[in-house]
Amino acid sequence: MALVRPSPVVLAAVALSIVLSAGSARADVISFLGRTLVDVRIEVNGAALVEPGIVQLIETRVGEPLSMERVRETIEHLVGLGRFEDIRVFAEGSSLRADGVALRWVLVPLQRIAVIELAGSLGFSAAELRTAIADRLGARPAASRASEVVTVLTDFYVQRGYRRPQIGTRLAAGSRTEVATLVVSIDPGARTVIDGAMVRGENVNSTAVLSALRLERGRPYDVPAIDARVQDYETGLRDAGYYEANVDVAATFSADGSTANVTVDVDRGPLVRVVFAGDPLPENRRDTLVPIRQERSVDLDLLEDASRNIAAFLRQQGYRAAAATYVREERSGEMVLTFTATRGPLHRLSAIDVVGNSAVADADILPLLPLEPGEAFADNRVATVAAAVTELYRVRGFARAVVKPEIVVQAEQTTGDAPFRPVTVRLMIAEGPRTTVGAVTIRGATQLSELRVRPLLGLIEGRPFYRPQLDADRDAVERLYQNEGFRSARVDAETALSGDGTVLEVKWNVREGPRTVVDHVLVSGTVRTNPDLVRREIALLPGQALGDDALIESQRRLAALGLFRRVRIIELPHGGLDAASPDPAQADAVATISRDVLIELEEAPSTTVSYGGGVEAGRRLRREGDQAQEQIELAPRGFLEISRRNLWGKNRSVTLLTRVSIRPRDPGVESTDPTDQGGYGFNEYRIVGTFREPRPFDATGDFQFTAFVEQAIRSSFNFNRRGVRGEYARRFGPALTVSGRYTFDRTRLFDEQIQPEVRLLVDRVFPRVRLSTLTGSVLRDSRDDVLDPTRGAVVGIDTAVAPRMIGSEVGFVKTSSQLFVYRRLPTRAAWTVAAGVRVGIAVGFERTVARRDEDGVPVLGPDGQPMVDVVDDVPASERFFAGGDSTVRGFVLDRLGTAQTLDDQGFPTGGNGLVVANVELRSPYWKGLGGVGFFDAGNVFRRASDISAVDMRPSAGFGVRYRSPLGPLRVDLGFNLDRRVLASGARERGTVFHISLGQAF
């Protein structure tokens, strides 16, 4: 983020006047200076202005003497704000006090165009025209730039064939004084059409060219469209091997501009053919070494690079004297590029040792020698090893250490049929003296004490001297001063080495210069946004240092709000000394400089609409006769999201999300309707309305209120749920989030596939259950990428309690915890290991309910008293299920479970205990494709007390990942390693295929 400083010429661009009067007679300014201010008023268009953001910029205050310095400061503040095109100040004597003076500030607002109304025969959509204006002049140009709007639109129409457009503008009053509506009348006139087209070039099919460029007679002459088609045609020629192809289009117009004759010059250039000669190169490496096809170019630099690539590749394979040349020949309209590779003899490393080291032990050097006898010898690898050993010495203070490889090539030997030349390498080390840091002194640190500077130094007395650390220390000290507002601070180091080279003294010279502090924070460009919101978010505060880190953090915070299309932070000088580039003599005389900071904003649209669709494919349990069968199911889905941000000038937002899927449903086992055969329909949907307010009541967290209605299809039942939820979340640092939420919802089960006598009592008694739940969550997420992590970890725990005392019909407590770890292996290729464990535990609270028959009549016991049942389980909507693409991939969705959590027909009932463990080895991407091998294990248990490692069900498999713009597209094939026969007599599937978006965990 660059800090922009406007020049004094820009600041003086606004006409400023100081008019001083006493009654009807003018008086000299000197007669008012020094007199006490008894009244200060601010007027805009004749009305008093009481806007706090403006009032705080007025430096002339009641009770203080009138000072020209204060008047100038106020003018600078107001000019910097960029909201006024004229600023005037009037002074007159006061009847309230003989020596008093009344001051009146008259501000003329700078009008901006808030609305552009387009009238006439546009010929294009209004959105296209408004976008063209905004791209050139911004979203809210000044009203004085109305003539530039005409220029922009004229260029737009001329480029698209309307050679003589008539465009007029008229300003109309807006809803407020500072905004205006620009009415643009457009008469594009007649559009130029193509009268004829001609193609010039050798060996060119004119008909094909004109057809590809769509230059038929009578078609509109549209320059951007023609340029796009020319670009596509050129790309096609280059794809076909004509890497020097060039297509130019020119036009001549009739006198009245109604027609155009187009000339197309096509220079295909020669067809390029690449030939490899000499010693062979691997087929799969040729395009990488000679990237002519990828670059679609044959320029000389690329050909030279290709020759070097081939030679470097062969030398890396052990062919130490390898070379590569190329020849460029023209043959019958064809360019033949012949790359000739000469490998020379193969060299293999025979031995490597180190001599000359005494201060550094062999055990410290050996880890830096990753060369093994028998491997292909490459000079660059030996040079890398020598550089690493040299750096080890320099880190330990041996600044003069020299490590020189001594390479000896021996006579040719043969292993099998492959001759090679053994190479021995000896690293000759000349250590030289070890230099340690002597006295470290700091001079010139006065405004920031030495106690603040010294802890930043890595080179302190007694430590080994390391030259890069000296530069790092200088950068650290300069960064401290920059963040403390010393924008012109300079830090230099003087070193003095002892005669024997063993001790080096360091003297730091600090030239602090003046300190720059923030005077006022000015906010410009806000229309819907409250400026106080902007001031609350930024790290720049009046009276504090104008530091670089504060500027960058302010920019980041404002961009993160998502309310602004553009954010720019500008430093406004107060005349006189410019802290950015002060005169040295002047800088030493000034201790502190005040600067206004202008936050220039361009608001983003407050309403956004997004929509999309797709198809979900997967296996799901369906009823076939009396059995649960796994069937492939296709479910088309679509969504629509409407968001409104910046409500009431704050960073509040409201969002409506609707999502619907067309899914097949099966009637429940108790269905008595013969006409209900299930089938496809809008059987799954979700409607969510969300209100979000970051930092409510100036707190540090975010609040969110949600109302929802949803219906979903599960393996053994369907459910309909509606409710509300309130959530408050707070971040502690970049990785840790703590949240709490309250949910009130009603859930109804229907189309149940489990026989009534097998269902849990809670589902029979409460098919419509009301839940009132309190939930607390702690999540620490240090992943480097949410969708495709390679480093970091996720640790989280989520605990929910639903007691009857706050409105739940049944009570329970439920805890879910998770741990995922991602590590990149220390290999040349970026392989990643990912591992995770998930554990869920739920316990129901006991409740007695009266037993009723099918008609709802209480059932009496032998003693004539109503019979009661004890409900102590968790409702189906809150129980755990597992199996599928994100848990254990050897099972279809929800099919994983013990004998107690699967009914006789194979439908899952869910459980109160869950354990899932996953391990993946992920390969690096190559041309967007990657591979995965995985092992999953887990199970769902009837009770939390039933959890046992012995009952974990394993699966393994492999998959392919494609790096799409939306994230990794995932295809996995899981194998059930512990296939069992279900109670129904059916055997579990051995393989399950999954397709999804994003990694499994």
Side-chain angles (χ1 to χ4, degrees), residues 727 730 732 735-741 775-781 794-799 816-818:
E727 181 174 8
R730 179 178 176 183
F732 294 87
L736 182 63
T737 302
V738 178
S739 64
R741 62 182 177 271
T775 306
S777 301
V778 178
L779 180 69
R780 187 181 187 278
D781 187 349
V794 177
V795 182
I797 185 168
D798 186 287
T799 300
S816 302
S817 56
Q818 59 181 346

Side-chain angles (χ1 to χ4, degrees), residues 709-911:
V709 176
E710 63 179 337
Q711 180 171 298
I713 292 179
R714 297 301 299 259
S715 300
S716 52
F717 61 86
N718 302 337
F719 69 88
N720 182 283
R721 176 159 45 201
R722 58 193 63 201
V724 295
R725 178 171 55 246
E727 181 174 8
Y728 179 79
R730 179 178 176 183
R731 295 181 69 96
F732 294 87
L736 182 63
T737 302
V738 178
S739 64
R741 62 182 177 271
Y742 170 75
T743 306
F744 182 87
D745 64 73
R746 294 179 182 271
T747 303
R748 175 177 64 90
L749 303 184
F750 63 97
D751 286 347
E752 296 179 77
Q753 304 301 313
I754 300 175
Q755 297 294 335
E757 61 273 11
V758 183
R759 296 176 198 163
L760 297 183
L761 181 60
V762 66
D763 298 333
R764 298 200 305 268
V765 176
F766 297 102
R768 299 171 182 262
V769 64
R770 182 184 69 244
L771 297 178
S772 179
T773 311
L774 291 170
T775 306
S777 301
V778 178
L779 180 69
R780 187 181 187 278
D781 187 349
S782 60
R783 292 174 292 180
D784 58 348
D785 188 321
V786 175
L787 292 178
D788 196 8
T790 59
R791 295 186 181 89
V794 177
V795 182
I797 185 168
D798 186 287
T799 300
V801 58
R804 291 178 58 200
M805 66 179 64
I806 62 172
S808 286
E809 288 184 307
V810 294
F812 64 88
V813 60
K814 175 181 175 181
T815 297
S816 302
S817 56
Q818 59 181 346
L819 169 63
F820 298 107
V821 179
Y822 309 89
R823 292 291 183 269
R824 180 171 287 181
L825 297 180
T827 58
R828 293 183 184 177
W831 290 80
T832 300
V833 172
V837 176
R838 282 164 279 185
V839 177
I841 296 174
V843 178
F845 302 149
E846 290 188 357
R847 176 185 176 178
T848 58
V849 294
R851 185 180 301 179
R852 298 179 182 273
D853 60 19
E854 296 180 354
D855 298 325
V857 178
V859 178
L860 302 180
D863 58 357
Q865 297 297 318
M867 299 183 66
V868 296
D869 293 312
V870 177
V871 177
D872 63 351
D873 223 320
V874 179
S877 59
E878 302 296 328
R879 294 198 291 269
F880 298 109
F881 294 83
D885 65 323
S886 62
T887 53
V888 182
R889 283 163 278 186
F891 297 82
V892 298
L893 182 66
D894 296 346
R895 191 63 181 264
L896 180 61
T898 62
Q900 291 76 33
T901 61
L902 297 173
D903 72 354
D904 292 342
Q905 298 171 332
F907 285 104
T909 61

Side-chain angles (χ1 to χ4, degrees), residues 461-658:
E461 188 172 352
R463 286 192 178 179
F465 174 72
Y466 181 49
R467 171 67 63 177
Q469 184 61 48
L470 186 70
D471 297 332
D473 289 350
R474 179 188 298 108
D475 292 343
V477 176
E478 284 189 347
R479 190 180 308 113
L480 169 67
Y481 273 94
Q482 291 289 331
N483 288 328
E484 289 295 330
F486 296 90
R487 309 183 64 77
S488 60
R490 297 292 180 267
V491 180
D492 297 307
E494 296 180 9
T495 58
L497 186 64
S498 63
D500 58 1
T502 59
V503 179
L504 182 140
E505 295 183 352
V506 181
K507 297 179 181 179
W508 291 100
N509 299 311
V510 180
R511 186 159 169 268
E512 295 176 326
R515 187 185 192 202
T516 305
V517 298
V518 178
D519 190 1
H520 290 83
V521 176
L522 314 179
V523 180
S524 174
T526 56
V527 178
R528 297 178 299 273
T529 307
N530 190 327
D532 289 340
L533 168 66
V534 177
R535 295 188 181 95
R536 186 184 70 180
E537 290 293 330
I538 63 175
L540 298 164
L541 300 177
Q544 294 190 3
L546 180 58
D548 287 351
D549 284 355
L551 285 166
I552 294 171
E553 178 63 15
S554 298
Q555 182 95 12
R556 186 197 66 79
R557 291 182 185 179
L558 293 175
L561 292 177
L563 300 178
F564 308 108
R565 178 182 289 143
R566 184 173 63 90
V567 177
R568 198 164 64 132
I569 301 180
I570 303 171
E571 176 187 349
L572 302 177
H574 280 185
L577 180 64
D578 185 351
S581 55
D583 177 74
Q586 197 176 12
D588 291 337
V590 180
T592 303
I593 300 174
S594 295
R595 291 286 181 266
D596 287 342
V597 174
L598 173 63
I599 313 294
E600 244 185 23
L601 305 167
E602 183 178 322
E603 293 181 337
S606 57
T607 302
T608 57
V609 179
S610 57
Y611 53 87
V615 177
E616 180 182 356
R619 289 187 175 272
R620 188 171 72 86
L621 293 180
R622 302 286 305 279
R623 176 175 295 279
E624 288 289 336
D626 293 333
Q627 300 296 326
Q629 298 291 334
E630 300 169 3
Q631 297 183 6
I632 295 179
E633 179 183 289
L634 296 176
R637 62 175 13 180
F639 75 91
L640 171 66
E641 184 178 36
I642 304 174
S643 297
R644 178 78 176 180
R645 297 176 296 181
N646 212 352
L647 297 177
W648 306 299
K650 298 290 187 179
N651 190 22
R652 305 182 181 99
S653 63
V654 61
T655 302
L656 175 65
L657 170 65
T658 61

Side-chain angles (χ1 to χ4, degrees), residues 6 127 263 268 270-271 286-287 312 372 387 417 430 566 608 726 796 848 898 964 971:
T263 302
R268 292 194 311 181
L271 178 65
R286 291 183 177 183
D287 281 348
E372 298 292 337
D417 295 331
R566 184 173 63 90
T608 57
T848 58
T898 62
S964 73
V971 179

Side-chain angles (χ1 to χ4, degrees), residues 248-305:
D248 288 323
V249 177
T252 57
F253 300 94
S254 62
D256 60 358
S258 61
T259 61
N261 286 291
V262 181
T263 302
V264 183
D265 289 304
V266 180
D267 181 8
R268 292 194 311 181
L271 178 65
V272 178
R273 182 162 57 93
V274 180
V275 177
F276 292 92
D279 293 318
L281 295 172
E283 290 281 349
N284 63 344
R285 295 299 303 271
R286 291 183 177 183
D287 281 348
T288 304
L289 298 174
V290 185
I292 291 176
R293 185 180 304 172
Q294 293 94 321
E295 299 292 335
R296 296 184 177 90
S297 174
V298 288
D299 66 72
L300 294 180
D301 287 341
L302 188 145
L303 299 180
E304 294 288 348
D305 289 342

Side-chain angles (χ1 to χ4, degrees), residues 657-675:
L657 170 65
T658 61
R659 188 182 67 199
V660 63
S661 298
I662 301 178
R663 284 186 178 276
R665 56 167 285 272
D666 296 323
V669 294
E670 297 176 290
S671 176
T672 59
D673 184 358
T675 63

